[in-house]
Amino acid sequence: MNDFIAARSQMALSLGFHIIFSCIGMVMPFFMAVSHYLYLKTNDVSYKNITKAWSKGVAIFFAVGAVSGTVLSFELGLLWPKFMEHAGPIFGMPFSLEGTAFFIEAIALGFFLYGWDRFNKWFHWFTGVVVGVSGLLSGILVVAANAWMNTPAGFDYVDGKYINIDPIAAMFNDAWFSQALHMSIAAFAATGFAVAGVHAFMILRKQNISFHTRSFKIAAIFGTIAAVLQPLSGDISAKFVGKSQPAKLAAMEAHFHTEKSASLIIGGIPDVKNQKVDYAIKIPGALSFMAKGDFNAEVTGLDQIPKENQPPIAITHYSFQIMVALGIIMMGIAFSYFIALIKKKSWLQKKWLLKLFVFATPLGFIAVEAGWIVTEVGRQPWIINGIMRTKDAVTPMPGIQYSFYLFSAVYISLSIIVIFMLYRQIKMVSQLYDNPENS
């Protein structure tokens, strides 16, 4: 493994690890706020227990997320010094604001965790809302920085120099809205299905059914609504990518030849050498419509992209297909749940519905990881799209592969520790709240 591949691998590992904690940190506080609100309105102690149980889980994820996020900040400077030298002054504002949001989130979480029976009950509830809002803003600001890498703005690039810098224009670049919307909804879908799946599993095991049924409903409603909205944000993102990053769209769809009425490819194995896709299902005109809103529109293929500017096709295509497939599965489960809530209430007691949510527990996060692979790998070979190549931004320091091995061991260890802590937390919840009168 050479240093360039090692640096990219370490960054990918760090991002892939951190994104899970970011999603949960963005979303779980809103679950807490709902259960806390229901407790304040109904005085049902079960909702208080749910809020306390979830808040302890949030504290675990917040701590690990803070560590992994800090590591990412250092890695940007250590692994990609040329990138940060030029890009730092341009898109540093969203990172600075993200730090402020994180600071507020940390303070609010401390108030919430230790504020039971100490603050006014509604002020205490409000601190929980602040945790959610600041966490969501933190995620959006980081995504804005990543969006800038896809559609760089806020500067003029003249003779290899970055001049006329405008941090506001850089932060609100063309891609920030579509990426932030898509990522935020994805976070709600992934976290909602994961939390609902855990509680569905506990219901199937007949443990604390009242507690877990209430918890399941809150998480499932958030997750299923997000799963239904996700294709709409995906359509917005696809149209924007088709306009701003034709090479990425072509790689996502393994679209080798520029043509009108381009077919949407479902599945398939890209044959890069022969410029074709084997074993794929093709829907005529659908790619043209999805990319440009016109079934007869011309869609740029990889044949119009210089070889040296083409992203890795196979991994981008497979990741995109995985993301879409899992999104469709989650949307199907969501519609089943809506039918159960509205028309077939007997389904809510059926094991098959709960088993669907248990099955879907990891799907949202797998889809999120696949989506980030599409975003990052699909931008290659550029670290700043069209401006700076990734190979030109990497550190000249040797021995990066050893750093990658070390960080891999650290992240594996952290994963084991988090799983163990969550297992203990779930077990403690089962024992502590077996009696709904416990508080």
Side-chain angles (χ1 to χ4, degrees), residues 9 74 84 109 117 136 149 156 159 186 198 284 306 309 314 323:
S9 299
F74 284 112
M84 291 303 295
L109 181 60
D117 303 320
L136 185 60
M149 297 165 70
D156 292 322
D159 297 328
V198 170
N309 292 341
M323 179 186 69

Side-chain angles (χ1 to χ4, degrees), residues 158-236:
V158 181
D159 297 328
K161 297 181 180 179
Y162 300 78
I163 60 175
N164 301 326
I165 293 172
D166 183 350
I168 299 295
M171 183 167 68
F172 295 106
N173 57 82
D174 290 342
W176 86 269
F177 175 75
S178 60
Q179 279 196 216
L181 178 66
H182 197 56
M183 184 62 227
S184 298
I185 296 175
F188 274 93
T191 306
F193 270 86
V195 174
V198 170
H199 290 292
F201 179 73
M202 300 305 290
I203 294 169
L204 288 170
R205 294 186 62 181
K206 301 187 183 304
Q207 295 188 7
N208 308 342
I209 292 177
S210 176
F211 174 89
H212 289 294
T213 299
R214 288 175 168 84
S215 305
F216 168 81
K217 186 174 183 180
I218 294 171
I221 288 175
F222 271 103
T224 51
I225 290 175
V228 171
L229 294 176
Q230 188 71 329
L232 301 177
S233 69
D235 181 66
I236 294 172

Side-chain angles (χ1 to χ4, degrees), residues 371-391:
W372 273 101
I373 290 173
V374 172
T375 299
E376 297 303 293
V377 176
R379 189 180 61 247
Q380 300 307 312
W382 306 100
I383 191 168
I384 306 175
N385 190 37
I387 304 291
M388 178 184 287
R389 292 181 181 271
T390 308
K391 67 179 181 180

Side-chain angles (χ1 to χ4, degrees), residues 336-416:
S336 298
Y337 186 65
F338 293 154
I339 293 171
L341 284 176
I342 298 169
K343 297 190 71 175
K344 299 283 188 178
K345 295 196 181 291
S346 61
W347 287 9
L348 296 173
Q349 312 301 323
K350 301 294 185 181
K351 288 185 177 181
W352 63 264
L353 184 63
L354 294 172
K355 288 180 179 179
L356 281 177
F357 277 93
V358 173
F359 166 75
T361 300
L363 299 189
F365 286 116
I366 296 173
V368 166
E369 298 285 6
W372 273 101
I373 290 173
V374 172
T375 299
E376 297 303 293
V377 176
R379 189 180 61 247
Q380 300 307 312
W382 306 100
I383 191 168
I384 306 175
N385 190 37
I387 304 291
M388 178 184 287
R389 292 181 181 271
T390 308
K391 67 179 181 180
D392 296 329
V394 72
T395 177
M397 183 178 68
I400 299 299
Q401 66 267 32
Y402 301 111
S403 174
F404 169 64
Y405 299 145
L406 174 63
F407 274 83
S408 297
V410 169
Y411 284 130
I412 290 171
S413 301
L414 276 175
S415 299
I416 293 171

Side-chain angles (χ1 to χ4, degrees), residues 111-381:
F111 280 176
F112 186 80
L113 291 174
Y114 298 103
W116 289 101
D117 303 320
R118 292 181 175 88
F119 296 142
N120 172 276
K121 63 179 183 179
W122 288 107
F123 175 76
H124 182 222
W125 173 80
F126 177 72
T127 62
V129 175
V130 172
V131 174
V133 172
S134 56
L136 185 60
L137 286 175
S138 180
I140 289 173
L141 288 165
V142 170
V143 171
N146 179 267
W148 178 86
M149 297 165 70
N150 289 317
T151 55
F155 66 97
D156 292 322
Y157 187 64
V158 181
D159 297 328
K161 297 181 180 179
Y162 300 78
I163 60 175
N164 301 326
I165 293 172
D166 183 350
I168 299 295
M171 183 167 68
F172 295 106
N173 57 82
D174 290 342
W176 86 269
F177 175 75
S178 60
Q179 279 196 216
L181 178 66
H182 197 56
M183 184 62 227
S184 298
I185 296 175
F188 274 93
T191 306
F193 270 86
V195 174
V198 170
H199 290 292
F201 179 73
M202 300 305 290
I203 294 169
L204 288 170
R205 294 186 62 181
K206 301 187 183 304
Q207 295 188 7
N208 308 342
I209 292 177
S210 176
F211 174 89
H212 289 294
T213 299
R214 288 175 168 84
S215 305
F216 168 81
K217 186 174 183 180
I218 294 171
I221 288 175
F222 271 103
T224 51
I225 290 175
V228 171
L229 294 176
Q230 188 71 329
L232 301 177
S233 69
D235 181 66
I236 294 172
S237 294
K239 284 182 169 57
F240 182 80
V241 168
K243 177 183 176 182
S244 64
Q245 294 177 283
K248 179 184 286 188
L249 180 67
M252 287 160 57
E253 279 293 321
H255 182 59
F256 289 104
H257 305 289
T258 301
E259 60 183 352
K260 294 183 178 180
S261 191
S263 298
L264 178 69
I265 294 176
I266 300 175
I269 300 174
D271 181 348
V272 178
K273 182 179 179 180
N274 295 306
Q275 303 285 287
K276 64 177 184 175
V277 183
D278 297 320
Y279 314 114
I281 298 172
K282 296 184 178 182
I283 304 176
L287 180 59
S288 293
F289 179 77
M290 289 182 65
K292 300 190 176 182
D294 181 356
F295 284 102
N296 295 312
E298 183 177 87
V299 178
T300 302
L302 289 161
D303 57 351
Q304 297 295 311
I305 310 297
K307 194 85 171 174
E308 66 273 15
N309 292 341
Q310 292 182 9
I313 297 165
I315 187 171
T316 306
H317 175 71
Y318 292 139
S319 298
F320 179 67
Q321 296 293 314
I322 289 170
M323 179 186 69
V324 172
L326 295 181
I328 291 172
I329 292 171
M330 293 167 66
M331 186 169 61
I333 296 173
F335 281 123
S336 298
Y337 186 65
F338 293 154
I339 293 171
L341 284 176
I342 298 169
K343 297 190 71 175
K344 299 283 188 178
K345 295 196 181 291
S346 61
W347 287 9
L348 296 173
Q349 312 301 323
K350 301 294 185 181
K351 288 185 177 181
W352 63 264
L353 184 63
L354 294 172
K355 288 180 179 179
L356 281 177
F357 277 93
V358 173
F359 166 75
T361 300
L363 299 189
F365 286 116
I366 296 173
V368 166
E369 298 285 6
W372 273 101
I373 290 173
V374 172
T375 299
E376 297 303 293
V377 176
R379 189 180 61 247
Q380 300 307 312

